[in-house]
Amino acid sequence: MVSAAVDGARLLSRLDSFAAIGGLANGGVDRPAFSPADRQARSLIADLARARGFSVAQDSIANLFIRRGAEIGAPLLIGSHLDSQPTGGRFDGALGTLAAFEVLEALEDRSVRTETPVELVVWSNEEGSRFAPGAMGSRAFAAGVMPAGAERDSNGAELRVAIAETRAALAGAVERPLGFPIAGYLELHIEQGPILEKAGLPIGIVEGIQGTTWLAVTMTGESSHAGTTPRDSRRDAAAALVSALGRLQDAIMPGDPAARFTAGRLVSKPDSINVVARQASCTLDLRHPQPERLAAIDAQIRAVLSEAAISHGCSLDIELLLAASPAVFNADLVAAVETAAERLQLPSQRIVSGAFHDALSISAIAPSAMIFVPCRGGISHNEREFVEPEHVVAGAAVLLGATIDAAHRLARRGPGASN
Amino acid sequence: MVSAAVDGARLLSRLDSFAAIGGLANGGVDRPAFSPADRQARSLIADLARARGFSVAQDSIANLFIRRGAEIGAPLLIGSHLDSQPTGGRFDGALGTLAAFEVLEALEDRSVRTETPVELVVWSNEEGSRFAPGAMGSRAFAAGVMPAGAERDSNGAELRVAIAETRAALAGAVERPLGFPIAGYLELHIEQGPILEKAGLPIGIVEGIQGTTWLAVTMTGESSHAGTTPRDSRRDAAAALVSALGRLQDAIMPGDPAARFTAGRLVSKPDSINVVARQASCTLDLRHPQPERLAAIDAQIRAVLSEAAISHGCSLDIELLLAASPAVFNADLVAAVETAAERLQLPSQRIVSGAFHDALSISAIAPSAMIFVPCRGGISHNEREFVEPEHVVAGAAVLLGATIDAAHRLARRGPGASN
């Protein structure tokens, strides 16, 4: 067993330094993708890398790579992202990136040579809040091409120019092709949900990322007088919609604890107190870790909506806005994470990520896994985001152990093995 | 039995003449209260009255009164209104007003002297779409004072000035005090709903006007991540609201055919597809002819909303926007309407008005009743509003018969008898 240990104080101090870049008065950060603050954060990690003798590289979408010395061959990537939401937290992305840097330093401190080369990655534009879609860097890496999306931000700045400026700011970085061969991917991230905190556990062994279906639902009936129109003459679009949504709310999540079902937007027209609604719309966000359950609940949603439409004399339109299949992480890498937590005697549970991460894209091309640490109240994408220092250090320690173990496991895999 | 008959052709021709005042290209009318078109319609009916030797009077809110010759004593008022919605129909109000004028003429044609004086009334500003509240003239008449409400229209015109201009346009009218003593009130109106048309009946014997409760409901929970937050950590305001509304939609109207329950406005915040709603609001319009059922359903609504709020960890706010008790019309006058329909061999059914009318205000101070005729598809407050000519004439004939009978019945009532 290789011996190495993270330096918790070094990591916590680094988190403070990076939180100051684009830092907000109350501890949050504003570090949009390809912004001056994002460039400053990238420059700082590149400077830290060079100071340790690590080499720095980037690809055409400005994904940033840091490797120890002259290790060659397809690497195990470890990392996350450094961009943030406009009023984001200091841990989302930065924790996984700086913990990965701490892993490189811990390995370097003890001159550990892993069986598979280990390389840090800082994915570009994970948040997607300035330029959609999110996970842009990892999507591009996995696909080998730029994803289609917004060409300008809300101020008119061009994505193409913003990427070029970001790449130019990292003078002297080695050029890498988009989507070079990798052996695997490990990412530490805050949970962004309440499960670990509620369970009192410092570590989540992430088995995968749940699938997501986004629907836009519109019921169309007919306006009529709220006082004079009897039930059987009504074509009440709002009644049809709420009747169906009420049934679905009472059925989906109470009937399946792994399901997530959210009607986030509700709108009615003509939006008048004494007029039966002609049209009522909502959006639906459905998530489930199992593709067959995702499909079954999707079918249930459509059936209940259709029944309500018929019962209220309305027509129904359902638009599919997004369909993302669940990602199931690689069993070997998940086992490496679990073994690392066990060796450190850190209590853990297996968990499925509710949120998207760069690991979702990368899991399509290489064995991948993630580690979660709890965040206070499950709050993220918010300046109030907070992770206990002991959980920061625990997460980095598990990432270190899992990296060494995964590097060993990956070295024994033949080429073309399943992801 | 007094003998008199309406002249259907005369009435239909009058309806055409008045529909031209503020007339819209597709047959509707735009004749807002106290507007030049409203003044023109009032002037025309005053001219028609004087041509028959009738006298014209008005009160301080510009309610207009027409009486035959020098009849004295508290009259039976018959009439309706001449103002319209901005894109209103040609029958709403005008039918009842011109049918009442036809009644006066029919009585005059045969020199019939009724046992109670009969007087036509044109109530000011029934619609309330230019200056709220609606039924302004009849409310003021019943209360003896101007109701509180909008002082200016949306263009900044002053109500006070608009009333003064309207009164000044009717030169030579006798001045009447607001709320002078009356013996009773009869009003013919289009149903503005689908019941009579569906039943294939030309006449509705209106027993009363249902009670109305308007509520503004707000559920408040907490925003969270739609993907990561499990059911038991959610405080989903939209889920709480739709769950309650779904139950209420399925329970209230299916369980009580006389109830009308409408959630006309639906709003959620922050109105984002992948964020659990922090706040969800709706308006509720509840109507019922029986006060005890209105109260019972109101209580049911509050209980179901409260249960859903608790079940979803939300707080609930319910604001009472309007509480109007049901009006039960005078049994003698309702019987007079029913007897008139029977004598004319016009099929009818008893019906409760779903919409407000001037008779709601007046029933509080004098015996009142109404007659309904069907309108196509139940459509009103719309340029497509349409009444079959045979139903126009049938309605006027019932109004004539009921007027004569009611004048007889009211003459036999002692002073201080119940309304």
Side-chain angles (χ1 to χ4, degrees):
Chain A
M1 180 63 198
V2 201
S3 171
V6 296
D7 180 339
R10 181 167 61 185
L11 172 56
L12 291 167
S13 155
R14 290 265 163 72
L15 276 163
D16 285 344
S17 302
F18 279 79
I21 304 173
L24 299 170
N26 52 3
V29 291
D30 177 16
R31 204 159 57 216
F34 311 124
S35 66
D38 189 24
R39 293 204 295 267
Q40 195 185 335
R42 292 161 52 86
S43 293
L44 176 55
I45 200 166
D47 288 343
L48 292 169
R50 288 176 180 131
R52 286 299 304 244
F54 304 160
S55 68
V56 176
Q58 62 184 347
D59 63 17
S60 58
I61 197 168
N63 292 318
L64 192 160
F65 304 93
I66 294 172
R67 61 165 58 191
R68 293 169 58 210
E71 292 179 307
I72 54 167
L76 166 62
L77 293 183
I78 60 174
S80 191
H81 60 98
L82 281 174
D83 66 314
S84 83
Q85 292 280 331
T87 54
R90 55 161 64 195
F91 299 95
D92 177 1
L95 172 62
T97 303
L98 298 177
F101 192 80
E102 178 57 35
V103 167
L104 290 195
E105 289 204 276
L107 294 173
E108 189 71 8
D109 289 343
R110 301 280 181 101
S111 302
V112 174
R113 187 178 172 91
T114 52
E115 293 173 59
T116 302
V118 174
E119 193 164 317
L120 183 150
V121 60
V122 183
W123 300 112
S124 289
N125 187 21
E126 194 272 344
E127 297 293 356
S129 48
R130 183 179 175 202
F131 297 102
M136 186 181 279
S138 56
R139 279 176 204 252
F141 188 91
V145 293
M146 280 285 292
E151 291 179 4
R152 290 176 185 274
D153 71 6
S154 58
N155 294 319
E158 265 190 274
L159 172 60
R160 194 178 51 78
V161 173
I163 292 175
E165 287 171 353
T166 301
R167 281 170 37 77
L170 212 67
V174 174
E175 278 301 315
R176 280 285 189 78
L178 194 61
F180 59 82
I182 62 171
Y185 179 58
L186 282 177
E187 180 171 359
L188 168 67
H189 207 281
I190 61 170
E191 181 197 335
Q192 303 186 285
I195 295 171
L196 294 175
E197 186 186 54
K198 284 214 169 177
L201 298 172
I203 297 295
I205 316 292
V206 188
E207 296 180 298
I209 297 182
Q210 62 190 351
T212 302
T213 302
W214 281 358
L215 303 174
V217 176
T218 303
M219 290 279 186
T220 304
E222 191 177 47
S223 288
S224 57
H225 194 299
T228 60
T229 318
R231 170 73 179 80
D232 59 4
S233 294
R234 287 178 181 229
R235 297 175 55 209
D236 186 335
L241 188 69
V242 300
S243 174
L245 291 181
R247 281 206 177 85
L248 293 168
Q249 285 293 357
D250 294 348
I252 295 173
M253 282 194 288
D256 184 340
R260 302 285 176 269
F261 175 70
T262 307
R265 310 189 64 184
L266 295 174
V267 179
S268 65
K269 290 178 185 168
D271 197 32
S272 167
I273 191 167
N274 59 348
V275 178
V276 170
R278 179 182 75 248
Q279 200 171 82
S281 314
C282 71
T283 55
L284 297 179
D285 178 315
L286 171 66
R287 311 209 189 187
H288 203 286
Q290 297 161 18
E292 62 279 9
R293 285 293 300 146
L294 194 67
I297 299 173
D298 183 271
Q300 179 186 12
I301 289 171
R302 288 167 190 270
V304 169
L305 284 166
S306 174
E307 196 181 291
I310 291 165
S311 149
H312 289 269
C314 293
S315 63
L316 170 65
D317 180 71
I318 301 178
E319 189 187 349
L320 180 65
L321 300 177
L322 175 74
S325 300
V328 178
F329 287 151
N330 176 271
D332 255 8
L333 264 59
V334 173
V337 171
E338 194 155 44
T339 304
E342 280 167 9
R343 284 188 181 150
L344 292 159
Q345 296 184 303
L346 289 166
S348 69
Q349 72 168 57
R350 294 209 166 207
I351 187 172
V352 172
S353 175
F356 304 140
H357 293 288
D358 290 307
L360 179 64
S361 326
I362 302 307
S363 69
I365 58 160
S368 300
M370 290 185 75
I371 304 154
F372 273 176
V373 291
C375 55
R376 187 185 286 168
I379 295 165
S380 183
H381 287 192
N382 190 306
E383 299 163 71
R384 287 190 291 140
E385 182 185 280
F386 182 77
V387 181
E388 297 293 341
E390 66 192 82
H391 295 154
V392 165
V393 177
V398 172
L399 179 62
L400 172 61
T403 298
I404 294 168
D405 191 4
H408 169 70
R409 291 168 189 255
L410 291 169
R412 298 190 311 176
R413 281 167 62 101
S418 150
N419 293 341
Chain B
M1 180 64 198
V2 201
S3 173
V6 296
D7 181 339
R10 181 167 61 186
L11 172 56
L12 291 167
S13 156
R14 290 265 163 72
L15 274 164
D16 285 343
S17 302
F18 278 79
I21 304 173
L24 299 170
N26 53 3
V29 291
D30 176 16
R31 204 159 58 216
F34 311 124
S35 66
D38 190 23
R39 294 204 293 267
Q40 196 185 336
R42 293 162 51 89
S43 292
L44 177 56
I45 202 166
D47 288 342
L48 292 169
R50 289 175 180 133
R52 286 299 306 245
F54 304 160
S55 68
V56 176
Q58 63 184 344
D59 63 17
S60 59
I61 197 170
N63 291 319
L64 191 161
F65 305 92
I66 294 171
R67 61 165 57 190
R68 293 168 58 211
E71 291 179 306
I72 52 165
L76 167 62
L77 293 185
I78 60 174
S80 191
H81 61 98
L82 282 174
D83 67 315
S84 84
Q85 292 280 330
T87 54
R90 55 160 65 195
F91 299 96
D92 177 1
L95 172 63
T97 303
L98 298 176
F101 193 80
E102 178 57 36
V103 167
L104 289 194
E105 290 202 275
L107 294 172
E108 188 71 8
D109 291 343
R110 302 280 182 100
S111 302
V112 173
R113 187 179 171 90
T114 52
E115 292 173 60
T116 302
V118 174
E119 194 164 316
L120 183 151
V121 61
V122 184
W123 300 113
S124 289
N125 188 20
E126 194 274 344
E127 297 294 355
S129 48
R130 183 179 176 202
F131 295 102
M136 187 181 279
S138 56
R139 279 175 203 250
F141 188 91
V145 293
M146 282 285 292
E151 291 180 4
R152 292 176 185 272
D153 71 7
S154 58
N155 294 319
E158 264 190 275
L159 172 60
R160 195 179 51 78
V161 173
I163 293 174
E165 287 170 352
T166 301
R167 281 171 37 79
L170 212 68
V174 175
E175 279 299 317
R176 281 286 189 78
L178 193 62
F180 58 83
I182 63 171
Y185 178 60
L186 282 176
E187 180 171 1
L188 169 66
H189 207 280
I190 62 171
E191 181 198 334
Q192 303 186 284
I195 295 172
L196 294 175
E197 186 186 55
K198 285 213 167 176
L201 298 172
I203 297 295
I205 317 292
V206 189
E207 296 180 299
I209 297 181
Q210 63 191 350
T212 301
T213 301
W214 281 357
L215 303 174
V217 176
T218 303
M219 289 278 186
T220 304
E222 191 177 47
S223 288
S224 57
H225 194 299
T228 59
T229 318
R231 170 72 179 80
D232 60 3
S233 294
R234 286 177 181 230
R235 297 175 54 209
D236 186 335
L241 188 69
V242 300
S243 174
L245 291 181
R247 284 208 174 83
L248 293 168
Q249 285 292 358
D250 295 348
I252 294 174
M253 283 195 288
D256 183 340
R260 302 286 176 268
F261 175 70
T262 307
R265 311 190 64 185
L266 294 175
V267 180
S268 65
K269 289 178 187 166
D271 197 32
S272 168
I273 191 168
N274 59 347
V275 178
V276 169
R278 181 183 73 246
Q279 200 170 81
S281 314
C282 71
T283 55
L284 297 178
D285 177 314
L286 170 67
R287 311 212 189 185
H288 204 287
Q290 297 161 19
E292 61 281 7
R293 285 293 299 146
L294 194 66
I297 298 173
D298 183 271
Q300 178 186 12
I301 290 171
R302 289 168 189 270
V304 170
L305 284 167
S306 174
E307 196 180 292
I310 290 165
S311 149
H312 288 269
C314 293
S315 63
L316 170 65
D317 180 73
I318 302 178
E319 189 186 349
L320 179 65
L321 300 177
L322 175 75
S325 300
V328 178
F329 288 152
N330 177 272
D332 256 9
L333 264 59
V334 173
V337 171
E338 194 154 44
T339 303
E342 281 167 7
R343 285 187 179 148
L344 292 159
Q345 296 185 302
L346 290 166
S348 70
Q349 72 167 56
R350 294 208 167 205
I351 188 171
V352 172
S353 175
F356 304 139
H357 294 288
D358 289 309
L360 179 63
S361 326
I362 303 306
S363 69
I365 59 160
S368 300
M370 290 185 75
I371 304 155
F372 273 175
V373 290
C375 54
R376 186 183 287 167
I379 295 164
S380 183
H381 286 191
N382 190 304
E383 298 163 73
R384 289 189 292 142
E385 182 185 281
F386 182 77
V387 181
E388 297 291 343
E390 68 192 84
H391 295 155
V392 166
V393 177
V398 173
L399 180 63
L400 172 61
T403 298
I404 294 167
D405 191 3
H408 170 70
R409 291 170 188 255
L410 291 169
R412 296 190 310 176
R413 280 167 62 100
S418 149
N419 294 343

